[in-house]
Amino acid sequence: MKSPPSGGFLRGGTSLAEIKRAAVIGAGVMGAAIAGHLANAGIRTTLLDIVPKELTDKEKAKGLTLEEKSVRNRLSRMGKERLFKEKPAPLFHKKMAEKIEVGNLEDDLHCLSEVDWVIEAVVENLNIKQDLFTRIEQVWKPGIIVSSNTSGISIREMVEGRSEAFRSHFLGTHFFNPPRYMKLLEIIPTKDTDRQIVSKMKAFAEETLGKGVVDAKDTPNFIANRIGVYGLAITFQKMLEENLGPDEVDTVTGRAMGRPKSATFRTLDLVGLDTFVHVSDNVRENVQDPEEKKAFEVPELLQEMVEKGWIGAKSGQGFFKKVKGEKGSEILALDPKTREYRPRKKLKAPSLEMSKRAKTQKEQFRSLVYADDTAGRLAWYITKKVLLYSAARIPEIADDIVSVDRAMRWGFNWDLGPFEVWDAIGVEKSVARMREEGETIPPLVEELLASGAKSFYERTPETTSVFHLGGSFRKVEEHPKAISLARLKEQNRVIKSNRGASLIDIGDDVLCLEFHSPKNAIAADIIQMIGTAVKELNTHYRGLVIGNQGSNFCIGANLMLILMEAQDQNWPELDLMVRQFQQTMGSLRYVDKPVVAAPFGMTLGGGVEVALPADRIQASAETYMGLVETGVGLIPGGGGNKELLLRWMDGVDPKDRLVLQPLVNHVFETIAMAKVSTSAMEARDYKFLRESDGISMNGDHLIFEAKQAVLAMDQSGYRAPERKKIPVVGETGYNTLRLGAYEMLQSGYISQHDYKIASKLAYVLAGGNLPEGTLVDEQYLLDIEREAFLSLAGEPKSQQRMQHMLTKNKPLRN
């Protein structure tokens, strides 16, 4: 294998931001996925594993030997190949795999001397890791960072006996699985680790890898797994005590408690029961407190399940099992008493229904944990135990509670960390109940109450302070790129606002248009605020960012409103709504100030139509863009067809008809098939993003980086784009597109109604029945788009599709 070029990290005064080459040792599920995410970040990565000791049957059939390079690199090659098969996809784009080279630890160990960062991700065995680091040091050069991805083995013990220089460059970097999607990275230094390396690695992980970093201590399972596994363990024990099933417990411990939908036992199935047992054993074997040891004892049922191979999703069954029945697939739940699977059932309790009606997550939590029914008592017990355990672990696992809260939010996807939960339910009230129940209150909490404080966090519009052992509050340092729109609103930086959107001054004479309607769906109030933004830009400001910090950027137009108007046959009102949307997007495109859209998460339908007219898009790496209107029986109605056409035609000679038709075909296929990108990088394939558009690895920095793009355009003397005539493929192109759709109809790939929708879309994209090569203005395309949209909205089958999406949240084929 060709040796990679040197990255020069920390050599000759270069900064850590210059990590250009990395090596990952261990091509298992986690190691390969880490290599994949490094490649996502643009880092050339070498993936190494051991040399196989035996040939596979396929290798024998090919006449290969153990000395063949393909055999010797088999394990690392298989790790790389697995990146193309796993779901969710570890790679932003398949082409990112080109940045990964494979090799083995015997032939290619010397390559480690030429990279900037070496990450160990081999089996969780201390002796194996120690032997590996002995070998690594033989080729190691000063300046190369070496880290372990262990989930709980002592970082210090791994490098005992290594040189002082090597130890100073060594630390733990615990990625959470899957590395692409999980925000948390725990950085675990030892007493020998150079502090400058720790701080620079943190900056690199946040900026380049897009991670949320917490500083952890070299203790069993660090922060997130220590608390998270404890919570899972006591939940398991409580389930058995209360004679409940995993499905009933999951009814309570999921979204009702601000946790992921996978709750407790579905999460265990996803993680793997064998992994859970391993992590539990690691804590039990390495802590001294008898009560803590007892909490991490693996219950008999769990041991039985692991012995039977019922270890979760990877084995096909765990606490849940998917089976095929007469009515299709069904998911069964394990009965803990009989050890047999039965149909799933939900726990029903008044508190669960009441919590759903709460306006905020904090209100929801309070109403649940203080309720006197089965769900409330279960939620209280789990919450109480986790809060007490978390507080008792300070300062053992972390010096501050912020690290603990962030670790649980970023590593386990909790809405609120333990101390944020404590503030939400009331520290005084909850502690009083805990005392009544005979619980021991940790020193941290006793100190808080003795100080007269009512909560762990004290917030003002300007700062957040947090309580520390010793009785003092200290300011929480925020990342300079982490602009909080909520905090700016608290600082009275709102310029204009209505029910659906707000205009916020984000500094430097830049506005941010924030959506805050339900699911950020577009309706008249948002359209009105976009128009207001254009007026404000023309008089007072340097530019505009369109962005928000909700769950998703925008899921599209308000479908319920469209359906209601269509069912009432209120065509003038619906026509006006669509016309206003089109006109407002047009004014956004041609306003004489720079506009940058900052999409993230689900950016669908009308969300794409808001983003496309912007001068630039600064997208989060995890952005899923698509014009998906055909799924609800419509076509884009806010100018999306025209905007995507313009992007595909950019730079094309309008007289070159041989080039023009294939481009229109691409646009037609993208919209007709409702294609959605699986990342911002893939969005470039569909031209939802241009090559010149930016991608932010860290979603917390998205608004800041979009603002910087606005300022850069303003400083370079921004001028609005000029309106241009658009060449259309006309009637000839229309027939070509319809023919393709007809062939799909005849082959059974689409329904008759799909064909009707496709024909309407083809007419719009082709420019109608005009002669091929005719130049038209944008308004012409908008007019025929609006006519087609309204026509489809009146179709009964389209209305059925809209109704089905609203009630079932999935498309209907009719």
Side-chain angles (χ1 to χ4, degrees):
M1 184 185 73
K2 184 174 69 175
S3 299
S6 170
F9 164 56
L10 285 185
R11 301 180 191 126
T14 57
S15 71
L16 196 103
E18 292 178 0
I19 288 183
K20 296 177 182 177
R21 289 301 310 246
V24 177
I25 302 175
V29 172
M30 196 65 188
I34 291 171
H37 192 60
L38 293 174
N40 286 338
I43 300 167
R44 299 201 65 82
T45 303
T46 301
L47 182 61
L48 304 179
D49 211 310
I50 61 173
V51 174
K53 295 180 179 179
E54 295 180 353
L55 293 170
T56 65
D57 289 341
K58 287 185 177 180
E59 289 168 342
K60 290 176 183 177
K62 292 180 179 179
L64 300 176
T65 70
L66 288 173
E67 299 307 311
E68 298 279 354
K69 196 69 173 176
S70 62
V71 174
R72 296 175 72 79
N73 291 348
R74 183 213 306 153
L75 296 179
S76 55
R77 186 187 70 252
M78 289 174 62
K80 179 177 177 178
E81 290 171 350
R82 196 164 52 244
L83 297 175
F84 298 108
K85 303 172 185 176
E86 289 185 355
K87 292 184 179 180
L91 299 172
F92 288 158
H93 195 288
K94 289 182 178 180
K95 68 182 180 183
M96 303 315 297
E98 297 170 5
K99 293 186 177 293
I100 302 174
E101 296 180 358
V102 299
N104 66 76
L105 283 169
E106 291 183 17
D107 302 326
D108 306 304
L109 189 69
H110 66 279
C111 293
L112 302 184
S113 67
E114 300 175 352
V115 303
D116 307 312
W117 180 17
V118 177
I119 306 170
E120 170 271 313
V122 302
V123 63
E124 291 284 70
N125 179 292
L126 179 59
N127 291 332
I128 291 175
K129 291 178 186 289
Q130 288 175 331
D131 290 344
L132 177 60
F133 289 122
T134 300
R135 295 180 63 191
I136 290 173
E137 187 171 17
Q138 294 170 2
V139 298
W140 177 80
K141 292 179 181 178
I144 300 174
I145 300 300
V146 182
S147 70
S148 172
N149 182 60
T150 180
S151 60
I153 293 177
S154 170
I155 303 298
R156 174 186 55 80
E157 291 180 15
M158 288 184 200
V159 288
E160 283 184 349
R162 305 281 57 76
S163 68
E164 181 181 347
F166 186 88
R167 296 198 310 273
S168 72
H169 287 72
F170 183 74
L171 70 164
T173 50
H174 181 212
F175 289 82
F176 272 62
N177 193 30
R180 169 183 166 181
Y181 301 95
M182 295 302 293
K183 187 175 182 66
L184 180 61
L185 176 67
E186 292 175 319
I187 286 185
I188 312 102
T190 71
K191 63 181 180 62
D192 298 319
T193 310
D194 185 320
R195 296 297 114 175
Q196 183 184 9
I197 286 175
V198 175
S199 62
K200 288 186 175 181
M201 276 297 287
K202 181 176 181 179
F204 174 79
E206 289 173 338
E207 293 281 340
T208 305
L209 301 182
K211 293 298 173 186
V213 178
V214 298
D215 299 317
K217 295 188 176 182
D218 192 6
T219 54
N221 288 27
F222 315 127
I223 299 176
N225 276 344
R226 181 79 170 267
I227 294 172
V229 171
Y230 173 83
L232 292 170
I234 59 105
T235 304
F236 192 104
Q237 293 163 4
K238 194 64 175 175
M239 174 186 74
L240 299 179
E241 289 174 13
E242 299 295 327
N243 196 26
L244 296 170
D247 44 353
E248 295 171 300
V249 173
D250 276 2
T251 309
V252 179
T253 60
R255 293 306 303 148
M257 288 181 63
R259 310 279 181 83
K261 289 181 181 179
S262 56
T264 301
F265 294 98
R266 180 63 182 140
T267 295
L268 280 171
D269 273 2
L270 293 170
V271 170
L273 274 59
D274 53 338
T275 301
F276 173 76
V277 168
H278 170 78
V279 176
S280 295
D281 287 344
N282 186 60
V283 178
R284 191 181 68 256
E285 293 167 4
N286 289 284
V287 296
Q288 305 304 316
D289 179 19
E291 284 297 313
E292 190 172 6
K293 281 182 176 290
K294 184 178 179 181
F296 285 93
E297 287 180 358
V298 178
E300 180 183 344
L301 171 59
L302 202 52
Q303 292 282 18
E304 285 181 20
M305 294 174 70
V306 173
E307 289 169 8
K308 290 180 179 179
W310 297 0
I311 57 175
K314 55 190 173 185
S315 69
Q317 65 185 105
F319 288 103
F320 299 95
K321 179 181 180 181
K322 191 174 184 178
V323 298
K324 289 185 178 180
E326 294 180 0
K327 297 181 180 180
S329 295
E330 180 185 8
I331 297 176
L332 305 179
L334 183 71
D335 186 318
K337 292 186 71 175
T338 66
R339 289 359 187 215
E340 294 180 355
Y341 291 92
R342 55 159 174 76
R344 283 190 301 176
K345 57 185 179 182
K346 291 185 176 182
L347 182 66
K348 295 184 179 179
S351 61
L352 291 171
E353 294 304 316
M354 287 180 62
S355 69
K356 290 178 183 178
R357 293 194 287 270
K359 294 181 179 180
T360 67
Q361 177 64 58
K362 292 180 179 181
E363 290 175 4
Q364 179 178 332
F365 221 116
R366 281 196 297 269
S367 68
L368 181 60
V369 297
Y370 290 126
D372 189 19
D373 59 21
T374 303
R377 289 189 292 271
L378 178 63
W380 165 254
Y381 178 83
I382 295 168
T383 299
K384 174 183 71 171
K385 289 296 186 182
V386 169
L387 297 188
L388 291 170
Y389 185 77
S390 300
R393 301 281 76 77
I394 302 289
E396 178 195 349
I397 62 175
D399 287 326
D400 60 87
I401 67 173
V402 176
S403 294
V404 173
D405 282 344
R406 287 175 174 172
M408 299 316 297
R409 283 192 279 110
W410 295 341
F412 277 74
N413 289 326
W414 292 5
D415 290 350
L416 301 172
F419 298 97
E420 292 168 322
V421 166
W422 220 325
D423 283 357
I425 65 174
V427 180
E428 284 186 316
K429 181 178 180 179
S430 59
V431 169
R433 180 173 173 180
M434 291 173 186
R435 291 191 203 279
E436 290 176 4
E437 295 173 358
E439 300 290 355
T440 300
I441 308 304
L444 175 71
V445 187
E446 295 283 21
E447 282 191 18
L448 175 80
L449 295 174
S451 73
K454 304 292 186 184
S455 61
F456 287 100
Y457 289 87
E458 290 185 348
R459 291 182 169 87
T460 70
E462 285 72 34
T463 62
T464 297
S465 298
V466 65
F467 188 78
H468 282 254
L469 269 174
S472 65
F473 277 85
R474 301 178 197 169
K475 181 181 176 181
V476 177
E477 296 298 327
E478 303 289 351
H479 195 287
K481 289 188 177 181
I483 292 176
S484 168
L485 296 179
R487 174 152 284 169
L488 291 175
K489 291 164 84 170
E490 291 173 1
Q491 295 171 5
N492 297 317
R493 302 280 285 276
V494 177
I495 308 302
K496 303 278 185 180
S497 186
N498 61 26
R499 292 181 61 184
S502 295
L503 277 177
I504 305 168
D505 183 344
I506 57 175
D508 298 309
D509 294 325
V510 177
L511 278 177
C512 179
L513 173 64
E514 177 203 33
F515 298 170
H516 45 68
S517 62
K519 296 186 179 180
N520 288 343
I522 297 171
D525 45 12
I526 287 181
I527 295 171
Q528 178 189 0
M529 193 55 63
I530 295 173
T532 302
V534 171
K535 292 177 184 176
E536 290 289 330
L537 282 178
N538 283 325
T539 54
H540 301 296
Y541 294 89
R542 297 167 68 182
L544 174 71
V545 170
I546 304 175
N548 63 77
Q549 292 169 334
S551 300
N552 295 291
F553 178 73
C554 178
I555 52 97
N558 187 323
L559 192 60
M560 174 65 78
L561 182 60
I562 294 170
L563 177 61
M564 289 173 58
E565 297 290 0
Q567 288 177 334
D568 291 343
Q569 298 186 19
N570 194 351
W571 305 119
E573 184 65 30
L574 191 54
D575 177 80
L576 178 62
M577 184 192 310
V578 178
R579 190 186 299 270
Q580 286 178 336
F581 190 19
Q582 291 178 338
Q583 290 173 345
T584 304
M585 292 304 98
S587 66
L588 200 63
R589 168 178 270 280
Y590 294 108
V591 65
D592 198 26
K593 299 288 177 67
V595 175
V596 176
F600 62 94
M602 302 303 290
T603 302
L604 305 175
V608 176
E609 291 180 300
V610 168
L612 292 184
D615 297 293
R616 176 171 169 163
I617 295 176
Q618 182 71 33
S620 168
E622 298 298 342
T623 302
Y624 319 117
M625 299 184 80
L627 291 166
V628 296
E629 286 84 352
T630 58
V632 290
L634 304 170
I635 66 167
N641 305 288
K642 177 258 297 182
E643 290 293 337
L644 198 56
L645 267 176
L646 288 173
R647 285 175 175 247
W648 277 90
M649 292 180 178
D650 188 33
V652 174
D653 182 353
K655 298 177 182 179
D656 192 344
R657 300 176 186 177
L658 293 178
V659 173
L660 205 56
Q661 183 67 53
L663 297 181
V664 176
N665 293 348
H666 278 297
V667 179
F668 176 73
E669 184 178 311
T670 299
I671 300 175
M673 298 181 69
K675 291 185 177 181
V676 178
S677 71
T678 59
S679 68
M681 192 165 290
E682 191 180 66
R684 286 177 171 162
D685 291 351
Y686 302 135
K687 298 206 185 296
F688 295 132
L689 296 188
R690 308 178 188 91
E691 288 298 321
S692 59
D693 288 328
I695 296 177
S696 295
M697 286 294 288
N698 193 320
D700 291 344
H701 303 171
L702 181 60
I703 299 293
F704 174 88
E705 290 170 355
K707 174 184 169 182
Q708 296 309 115
V710 167
L711 293 174
M713 284 189 283
D714 176 69
Q715 290 165 3
S716 64
Y718 173 81
R719 289 186 179 181
E722 296 180 0
R723 298 177 187 271
K724 297 179 180 178
K725 295 284 188 176
I726 304 166
V728 296
V729 293
E731 186 174 11
T732 303
Y734 169 49
N735 290 331
T736 300
L737 296 174
R738 270 209 313 172
L739 177 60
Y742 183 75
E743 289 174 351
M744 293 188 72
L745 173 66
Q746 293 299 105
S747 301
Y749 290 111
I750 63 174
S751 69
Q752 188 67 47
H753 192 57
D754 289 325
Y755 177 67
K756 179 175 285 188
I757 298 166
S759 297
K760 295 281 187 181
L761 176 63
Y763 186 84
V764 173
L765 294 176
N769 291 319
L770 298 174
E772 184 180 6
T774 302
L775 294 174
V776 300
D777 57 27
E778 292 184 29
Q779 189 59 51
Y780 169 79
L781 290 178
L782 291 174
D783 288 342
I784 61 174
E785 171 187 275
R786 189 174 65 258
E787 180 183 341
F789 180 92
L790 294 171
S791 171
L792 287 169
E795 291 284 342
K797 288 190 175 181
S798 287
Q799 293 177 14
Q800 290 170 12
R801 291 191 179 194
M802 287 186 265
Q803 185 71 52
H804 193 269
M805 179 61 74
L806 289 167
T807 55
K808 304 291 185 180
N809 198 31
K810 56 184 180 181
L812 170 70
R813 283 293 305 276
N814 60 352

